[in-house]
Amino acid sequence: MSEARAQSFRFNTGAATTHAILIVGALIVLLPFYTMISLSLKAPHEIMQQTGGFIGAQEAFRDDYCVKLGNAAENCMVNPIIYNYSTAFEKAPLVRYLLNGLIVTVSIFVIQVLVALPCAYALAKLRFWGREAVFALVLFCLLIPVHAIALPLYIMLAKAGLTNTYAALIIPWTISVFGIFLMRQFFMTVPDDLIDAARMDGMTEFAIIWRVMLPTAIPALMAFGIFSVVAHWNDYFWPRIVITGNRDLFTPPLGLREFKGDADGDNFGPMMATACIIVTPLIVCFLLAQRRFIEGITLSGMK
Amino acid sequence: MQSRAHLWFIGPAMALMFIVLLIPILIAVGLSLTDYSLGNQGAEFVGLENYERIFTRSTYEKMFVATFRYVFVVVPLTVGLGLGAALLIHSLGRFGDLYKTIYFLPVMAALIAMAIVWEFAFHPTIGIINSTLEKGCGTFLEAWPWYAKGCERTFPLWLNDRDYAIWTVSFIGVWQGFGFNMVLYLAGLTSIPPQLYDAAEMDGATRGWDRFRLVTWPLLGPTTVFVVTISFIRSFQVFDMVEAFYPQGGGPSKSVFVMMFAIYEKGIQQNLMGIGAAITVVFLAFVMVLTVIQRWLVERRTHYV
């Protein structure tokens, strides 16, 4: 009996050690999220003096910029949270940036699907001369990271007069060879009978793609969509290169970076508020649909 | 009718593959042999001069040093921590889900935003890291010479310290990336048939380490090959943090002058397209060779796994 107790004790210490290690890891992982949220709630002097704990005292403080504009000091007292978040929206057209982010990520995903789906269908289900060569080309293109060829792409876009346009943000991502590859593998598993039946009913090949194949591919497409949207919402490198001066075209990461560029001590709060606003949409979606997100993001690793 | 349909289906994809992926590579190779810059008329053919510069000048030596330091810190640590976290979480069963969620958060969050927060945390005077370290002064921690030195004078400047910058940036890279590898390893672990552990135990592998060595590790082989390759490719492409921390020049004494930043600085900031294109070609060569090695390893392994 004592042996059994020793066994269960050992098991418990084992589990406790595991939890202890994982909790330390979790604290380190969460540290910047904690800092980000905390700073977005606090007043400038609390940030500089590192006082106020997590949410700060939430006392109204004097907004010096407001005083400088000639207002009476008593009219310029603001609550830190309201100050930080309202400054985030006032100092830069943050709503516009968020909208740009949405436009760009959605356009990229829609065009990727429009281009990749028919190609994947042809590669999986049609027999034609050169099919193997096309597939080999797809496999070769999988080797190329688009970020790495940014320079020639930038030159091509500049020559076409397209820098500082939505087109520049979208065009390099319209072709997803990974999407083609993924959809092709998926379509291979769709039974031929389904397609033959559709042909008997007189459907054109075009109609088959959108009315027969697309509905069967919804789960795979969702995973791919998450993969694509997360990558392009968070992308900083490419917008940085093709959007040089035009603030109307800034995506959220560029907006945040601009904020950092001219942030003095007073602006840490609003800057962190901006960071929170940019990070939140994806994090909330992730927490709501974790399994789908993990599936989507790690899609490239599934075999 | 079917005989023509495929042209419409593969046509757009083929055209875009050529325009967006293949032609730019040819352009990069071509430009790397010239001194082209955008807006200037004409460009001189300079042969391999750009490449010669990359492999001889000290600036580019720093570029390779920074890139390889980053890559060779981040790859082993993200793979190791990813595997470690996955093994621990897997052993907890469904109680591990919360940790999985937390560890995956950095993968979802825009790196540029989190980099700015880390920069604040590493701030020498108002950052949480150094202020926490100062609280440990006067305790047993001072027995550690490095710590005592920090208490006596100051703790490192981290991101603005020539000796610490690249390691601090690498730390943030590890923080951001290991959750991704953890999830891939978790998928690999769930696909190991439990009977194999029973069989190993019957053959005398009772210790946890033996079971790991004889069953888990070999069966995770294909996952590991993939995880290592994708970690290499991702860490070679580090850029966001470097540009956010050091908009000009690549950090203290160019100690964080990584390749993607070098391409950006030479090509976009300084409009020296020739040298930028040459770095691009070298970069592509690295990444493609790595991927080809991975594919070869996977194909070789599938024979007996």
Side-chain angles (χ1 to χ4, degrees), chain B residues 170-204:
Chain B
S170 306
F171 166 81
I172 302 174
V174 173
W175 171 85
Q176 203 253 344
F178 84 94
F180 184 83
N181 292 346
M182 169 201 73
V183 166
L184 293 176
Y185 270 124
L186 276 171
L189 282 172
T190 39
S191 68
I192 297 177
Q195 304 91 286
L196 285 178
Y197 289 106
D198 300 338
E201 203 155 333
M202 267 190 252
D203 288 348

Side-chain angles (χ1 to χ4, degrees), chain B residues 200-238:
Chain B
E201 203 155 333
M202 267 190 252
D203 288 348
T206 43
R207 284 191 306 152
W209 168 248
D210 285 334
R211 277 183 297 167
F212 175 78
R213 192 173 52 92
L214 295 169
V215 182
T216 316
W217 181 246
L219 284 173
L220 285 178
T223 311
T224 302
V225 171
F226 178 77
V227 165
V228 169
T229 324
I230 202 160
S231 303
F232 263 111
I233 293 173
R234 285 158 62 99
S235 52
F236 260 118
Q237 294 189 53
V238 58

Side-chain angles (χ1 to χ4, degrees), chain A residues 19 22 26 29 32 39 48 50 139 143 147-149 152 155 159 172 234 236-237 256-257 260 290 294 298 300-301, chain B residues 20 24 31 36 99 101 103 108 110 113 117 119-120 125-126 131 175 183 226 239 243-244 247 260 276 280 291 295:
Chain A
H19 278 290
L22 288 171
V29 168
L39 294 184
M48 298 316 274
Q50 307 172 62
L139 290 180
L143 294 175
H147 277 170
I149 49 173
I155 295 172
K159 289 279 177 202
N234 290 340
Y236 172 69
F237 178 73
L256 179 63
R257 180 66 184 76
K260 180 183 179 274
Q290 276 182 56
I294 291 180
T298 55
S300 47
Chain B
V20 174
L31 285 181
Y36 179 78
Y99 298 111
T101 308
Y103 290 176
M108 300 298 309
V117 181
E119 189 181 24
F120 189 89
T125 53
I126 55 174
S131 65
W175 171 85
V183 166
F226 178 77
F239 172 82
E243 205 276 341
M260 283 307 275
T280 299
T291 320
R295 282 192 193 168

